[in-house]
Amino acid sequence: MATTTTTQPPRNCVVQRPYQSDQLIREGSSKRIYSLDDAECSELCSCGEALTLTCHALCVPFAPCRTALAFYSHASPAYQAFRGRCLCYSGRFICMKPPLGEYILPGGVFLLLGYSAADEALLRPHTNLGVQDAVRALQQYVTTYIDNQTQCTLTLFNMTEENIIIAARLPHDGKLKDIELLRKEKDECTAILKTISHQINTEHNELQSHRLLSIFKMSEVEVIWPESTSAAQSGHGQARGCHRLLHLALLLSLAYLSTTTLRMSDASRQGRLGLAT
């Protein structure tokens, strides 16, 4: 006699908060929930075995950001030269790109991310996760919510203070030249990275409620071709050459002025001696 097995439907904890719709959290998972009345506070709620609900309050300092020209309140947009769009978050500017000079992108397809170290520090004691775990979490996010058939692999390229850069790669194909592989990566991976970037910048619910990925506040996608990398490096070299020429011109000018001043001083001294005699 054949036996049949029945699959139990997933069970959920229910989070109820005043003036907000009920939040469902699947058993064995967690979700970050935000308060409508408190811009700097949220909760990390976990649904454990036997539908045991546990929530921890997470509040970042409600601190403004200041520059020489402007004052920005917490969670307000901003812009910085060479770093793109930014967000004032807990007294710090979280920007799409790292500061100029802290990175150089070779040929490739890249996801540039700005994250909050304050958020990371608040979440880590409850998740045991940090920004170094973000690549794996983003790869899982892509498979779950964006494209479960993609061959694009996310790898960490660069990490600086409150910024990371992730490269999207395809499996190596010995039949393809480097430029052909890059073109294929652009065609197959760019749309995925742009979806992630858009969801971060628009505070998409799935990302904003994620127990780790919610630390990301700003994002941008860049596709770099090898010739543009060479041009950028050449531009840096030309800029350094110009600085050297300007420095040399300044030294020559100072030397000329010093020589002229000495000559005038000698002439004046000789004139006074002639008058004295």
Side-chain angles (χ1 to χ4, degrees):
M1 181 177 178
T3 59
T4 59
T5 58
T6 57
T7 303
Q8 295 293 329
R11 302 195 302 170
N12 300 286
C13 294
V14 181
V15 181
Q16 296 179 320
R17 294 292 180 266
Y19 312 111
Q20 293 182 235
S21 58
D22 291 350
Q23 300 276 345
L24 299 180
I25 304 176
R26 181 168 294 187
E27 186 177 17
S29 64
S30 58
K31 180 182 288 189
R32 189 173 182 181
I33 299 173
Y34 297 83
S35 171
L36 296 179
D37 302 325
D38 211 343
E40 72 271 23
C41 288
S42 60
E43 294 177 280
L44 182 66
C45 294
S46 302
C47 183
E49 295 181 1
L51 300 183
T52 303
L53 180 66
T54 305
C55 293
H56 299 278
L58 309 169
C59 293
V60 297
F62 194 76
C65 303
R66 293 181 176 87
T67 68
L69 301 175
F71 176 93
Y72 299 86
S73 58
H74 174 75
S76 63
Y79 181 86
Q80 287 192 359
F82 306 109
R83 301 193 66 191
R85 288 167 50 203
C86 304
L87 180 75
C88 172
Y89 193 83
S90 190
R92 296 181 62 86
F93 287 111
I94 310 299
C95 300
M96 290 177 166
K97 300 178 181 180
L100 191 66
E102 291 191 4
Y103 72 104
I104 295 178
L105 297 179
V109 183
F110 299 96
L111 178 67
L112 290 79
L113 298 160
Y115 72 94
S116 167
D119 266 19
E120 181 193 22
L122 286 173
L123 288 164
R124 188 187 289 273
H126 310 294
T127 63
N128 292 320
L129 298 172
V131 68
Q132 69 277 2
D133 302 296
V135 176
R136 180 168 50 86
L138 276 171
Q139 189 76 60
Q140 293 173 347
Y141 184 86
V142 167
T143 303
T144 304
Y145 296 104
I146 300 177
D147 186 349
N148 61 3
Q149 300 296 320
T150 183
Q151 289 188 304
C152 296
T153 301
L154 305 182
T155 58
L156 180 64
F157 175 78
N158 187 46
M159 181 184 298
T160 55
E161 186 178 9
E162 295 193 306
N163 282 96
I164 68 170
I165 300 176
I166 292 174
R169 306 292 189 200
L170 288 174
H172 178 71
D173 187 342
K175 299 177 182 178
L176 297 178
K177 297 179 181 178
D178 289 345
I179 191 66
E180 293 172 335
L181 180 60
L182 175 55
R183 191 172 290 113
K184 189 176 180 181
E185 288 171 344
K186 173 185 176 295
D187 293 340
E188 297 187 21
C189 302
T190 302
I192 291 173
L193 297 191
K194 285 187 174 181
T195 299
I196 297 172
S197 179
H198 175 73
Q199 291 185 0
I200 289 173
N201 293 333
T202 58
E203 299 181 347
H204 187 273
N205 180 63
E206 290 296 341
L207 270 171
Q208 197 178 29
S209 63
H210 194 279
R211 62 178 184 158
L212 173 59
L213 301 182
S214 58
I215 69 174
F216 293 114
K217 309 301 179 185
M218 303 301 298
S219 178
E220 186 174 71
V221 176
E222 287 199 5
V223 179
I224 307 295
W225 297 100
E227 56 267 25
S228 62
T229 302
S230 300
Q233 291 174 344
S234 174
H236 286 305
Q238 291 174 0
R240 286 194 295 270
C242 289
H243 285 310
R244 292 194 189 99
L245 288 174
L246 288 172
H247 184 64
L248 179 59
L250 179 60
L251 290 176
L252 290 173
S253 298
L254 290 173
Y256 173 78
L257 289 172
S258 297
T259 303
T260 303
T261 303
L262 286 172
R263 287 175 179 171
M264 291 176 65
S265 178
D266 289 342
S268 177
R269 188 181 300 111
Q270 290 174 2
R272 287 197 299 270
L273 289 173
L275 289 173
T277 57

